[in-house]
Amino acid sequence: MTYSGLIQRYRQFLDLPAHTKIVSLLEGNTPLIPMPRLSKELGCELFIKFEGLNPTGSFKDRGMTAAISEALGRGAQTVICASTGNTAASAAAYAARAGLRSIVLIPEGKVAVGKLAGAIAYGAEVIQIQGSFDDALALVVEITQKTPIALVNSINPFRIEGQKTAAFEICDELESAPDWLCLPVGNAGNITAYWMGFKQYQKGLPRLLGVQAAGSAPLVLGHPVEKPETVATAIRIGKPARGEQALEAAHESNGRIIAVSDAEILKAQQILASEGVWVEPASAAGIAGLLAESAVGKFEAKGQKVVAVCTGHGMKDPAIIADSFAAPKSIPATYAALTHLIEQK
Ligand code: AN7
């Protein structure tokens, strides 16, 4: 059967109103990539759910197809979101597809270039806020309470409905839930959606390992972080909207939420790339967490099937790589110069 997007595929499992008018870019249906080398190193059977292969390069497209489809069906004309970047690009693309106006609020100077470029390319009105993501979110909540503009952040329940489908896909592919699911946690919509999805699908429940960046780890510290900082700008969030639900989900699953350093995140990004999967820094947090737990003997790997969700593509944040490496060597366009250089190695 031709794939026609995740709402079509999983409609019976999604709590969407009858007025929903499907707007799809054929999101979802992302690969579950086996990682033989990293599996061996960890001593478990590890797969990457590579969400960077969605239409706009992140998992946000799952929730966005649902939120925009509902908003369009309801007659909304303008949608708005606060974003660390990926939600902005996704909202812009789906709004464009639906013929809606989109406005995105981003924290000034802290959005990776591939995300900002995406939002602009898809035609969003991009507004920088002289503050954090959390400040931007408070503003969009206020404006959507006072005007007919539709909110498409993951506070919107339809976003969560769409995002549940990632859990369904994993269960369909593995024929049951994995033993562990590890993933980054920012505003905490995704971990909430996965847990709802696994519970609903009834093919077993994984233990959840949610991973925050140490400089933006409100759920680990137990209080909001006023000035969150991390190289993983996607999860630079100090006051997660679904924080309580995330903690509950981790607890209920007999899992946990932990924090890892920026250095651990970048190391995990490099390890993944060395096995052919390039993800943006935030997306490497799940693996960074798994490696950290394994290093201190807190992860019993033997016989465990583990899925790490890599939420966004490496191409979203090219500067992270470009800034940390020397420029490629430059040589005259001659065969002699080429062989000379290669033989040096
Ligand atoms: C790559 O785009 O919050 O815990 O505004 O872009 O559901 O927030 C992005 C979050 C993980 C965290 N990985 O997911 C936004 C935004 C990537 C992300 C997360 C985000 P949530």
Side-chain angles (χ1 to χ4, degrees):
M1 202 176 76
T2 316
Y3 185 70
S4 46
L6 56 78
I7 297 181
Q8 292 276 27
R9 177 158 177 201
Y10 290 113
R11 178 91 200 217
Q12 76 209 85
F13 299 100
L14 304 181
D15 189 7
L16 296 174
H19 65 242
T20 299
K21 257 193 202 154
I22 296 179
V23 180
S24 174
L25 290 163
L26 309 193
E27 57 294 313
N29 200 18
T30 56
L32 199 56
I33 306 177
M35 300 296 281
R37 293 213 291 268
L38 198 45
S39 292
K40 201 162 169 206
E41 190 181 321
L42 283 161
C44 64
E45 192 184 357
L46 175 71
F47 299 85
I48 299 295
K49 180 70 170 163
F50 195 14
E51 291 288 282
L53 296 180
N54 274 294
T56 78
S58 87
F59 75 99
K60 301 289 182 182
D61 296 342
R62 292 183 185 275
M64 207 54 73
T65 182
I68 297 286
S69 298
E70 188 281 328
L72 179 70
R74 165 158 53 96
Q77 289 173 354
T78 304
V79 299
I80 196 168
C81 66
S83 179
T84 57
N86 280 324
T87 300
S90 185
Y94 283 81
R97 187 81 178 175
L100 302 178
R101 177 181 175 197
S102 64
I103 304 169
V104 306
L105 271 59
I106 58 173
E108 192 165 62
K110 297 289 182 183
V111 170
V113 66
K115 305 175 189 179
L116 181 56
I120 293 167
Y122 297 123
E125 293 160 51
V126 180
I127 302 169
Q128 298 200 67
I129 298 298
Q130 292 159 15
S132 65
F133 166 85
D134 307 286
D135 298 322
L137 185 60
L139 286 171
V140 300
V141 167
E142 185 173 353
I143 201 170
T144 53
Q145 282 167 351
K146 295 178 176 168
T147 72
I149 300 176
L151 176 76
V152 295
N153 277 104
S154 61
I155 302 171
N156 177 327
F158 306 117
R159 280 278 310 276
I160 302 297
E161 287 303 307
Q163 285 177 211
K164 290 189 311 194
T165 58
F168 304 161
E169 286 177 15
I170 291 170
C171 290
D172 284 346
E173 187 130 352
L174 296 178
E175 292 177 345
S176 71
D179 299 299
W180 279 94
L181 184 89
C182 34
L183 76 172
V185 176
N187 211 24
N190 209 27
I191 191 169
T192 300
Y194 268 99
W195 189 238
M196 279 173 63
F198 282 118
K199 286 203 292 192
Q200 182 185 347
Y201 219 50
Q202 299 188 350
K203 293 201 180 173
L205 294 172
R207 296 173 74 180
L208 300 176
L209 181 67
V211 186
Q212 300 208 285
S216 308
L219 301 182
V220 179
L221 298 170
H223 58 77
V225 175
E226 206 55 49
K227 289 200 163 55
E229 275 310 335
T230 168
V231 67
T233 52
I235 51 172
R236 188 174 161 272
I237 293 173
K239 217 177 140 198
R242 292 188 185 266
E244 287 302 317
Q245 280 171 282
L247 288 167
E248 228 175 87
H251 179 74
E252 229 181 278
S253 79
N254 195 22
R256 51 197 173 265
I257 296 182
I258 63 167
V260 292
S261 69
D262 280 3
E264 288 174 301
I265 287 173
L266 293 176
K267 178 75 189 161
Q269 183 191 33
Q270 189 211 327
I271 290 171
L272 286 167
S274 77
E275 203 164 345
V277 181
W278 182 30
V279 306
E280 67 167 282
S283 305
I287 287 292
L290 193 62
L291 287 165
E293 293 286 275
S294 167
V296 296
K298 285 196 195 159
F299 171 60
E300 284 291 338
K302 207 166 185 304
Q304 299 285 286
K305 204 174 267 187
V306 181
V307 171
V309 182
C310 286
T311 43
H313 203 287
M315 284 187 276
K316 289 280 190 168
D317 195 354
I320 273 294
I321 304 296
D323 293 351
S324 65
F325 285 85
K329 284 191 178 128
S330 169
I331 56 167
T334 65
Y335 186 72
L338 177 64
T339 50
H340 179 70
L341 185 72
I342 290 174
E343 278 160 13
Q344 274 179 354
K345 268 212 126 180

